[in-house]
Amino acid sequence: MPRAPQPPGRHRRLAAALSALLVALAGGAPGHAEPPTGEALRAAVARAAPRAFDLYRDLLRYPNDALQPERMPALIGWLRAELETRGFTTAELPTGRIPLVLAERSVPGSDATVLVYLQADGQPVDPSAWDQESPWEPVLKERAEGGVWRPIPWSRLRGERDPEWRIFARSAADSKGPIAQFLTALDL
């Protein structure tokens, strides 16, 4: 059987990271004798992509400027709710500024422990320096002639995707990208 085409560059790295996390999670759970095949993982990622993009877009809308701690409770509440729907218990640990979120999910019969650290707060942002209405409202863009990035409808992510498209939003890569990847891997 011919092998499915591999996504280019960073998309391949994202798929590899999700695959590694899935293998680690599946291998540590009772009843999983063998990790899923690469083909099975790619198919699962393809099926999950629409929901993953929705989750990511939702997450990007929450301000996370570490110098504005008064804006962080909404993001913390969203994160706790998302983790709790995936079977975690959560707690806020006070720090004097922005509380930490501790999440734990026990798997009966498992001898393994997986520790994951995710960062939710971000660097300060100057909204006037963004070429869009708000850095907290994610915009899907493609490069037009002359190298200018122009917005395109999010619905285009439901069809064939161009690996050159970009999502513009504050903390899209660091630090919200890994959070969305982790939650999507758990869903898979």
Side-chain angles (χ1 to χ4, degrees):
M1 173 180 271
R3 209 177 136 147
Q6 295 296 305
R10 76 192 133 274
H11 299 284
R12 187 171 38 251
R13 289 190 300 273
L14 172 60
L18 284 171
S19 296
L21 181 57
L22 285 169
V23 168
L25 292 171
H32 290 280
E34 295 181 32
T37 65
E39 187 175 309
L41 287 172
R42 282 188 290 279
V45 168
R47 283 190 307 273
R51 169 68 183 117
F53 285 125
D54 290 343
L55 177 118
Y56 186 43
R57 186 179 182 191
D58 190 31
L59 170 59
L60 290 171
R61 288 181 166 139
Y62 287 91
N64 66 333
D65 186 331
L67 295 182
Q68 296 179 345
E70 70 279 1
R71 297 183 78 184
M72 293 293 292
L75 173 60
I76 291 168
W78 181 92
L79 183 57
R80 288 185 71 181
E82 291 293 327
L83 289 164
E84 288 169 4
T85 63
R86 289 163 178 85
F88 287 81
T89 57
T90 68
E92 287 185 33
L93 306 177
T95 67
R97 287 208 59 206
I98 301 168
L100 301 175
V101 174
L102 175 66
E104 180 180 16
R105 184 171 83 177
S106 296
V107 178
S110 177
D111 295 330
T113 298
V114 176
L115 175 65
V116 177
Y117 168 81
L118 297 167
Q119 173 189 332
D121 61 331
Q123 294 294 315
V125 62
D126 175 5
S128 69
W130 285 71
D131 187 23
Q132 59 196 57
E133 188 174 324
S134 166
W136 309 117
E137 183 55 43
V139 180
L140 179 63
K141 297 181 182 184
E142 68 181 355
R143 194 182 305 257
E145 289 184 33
V148 175
W149 290 97
R150 67 176 183 90
I152 58 176
W154 280 86
S155 60
R156 301 238 339 242
L157 289 173
R158 299 285 187 234
E160 188 167 335
R161 293 177 292 278
D162 182 338
E164 296 304 315
W165 292 345
R166 300 290 182 270
I167 297 172
F168 286 73
R170 185 67 181 138
S171 298
D174 177 20
S175 61
K176 292 178 180 174
I179 293 171
Q181 291 170 12
F182 179 72
L183 293 173
T184 298
L186 290 170
D187 292 344
L188 289 170

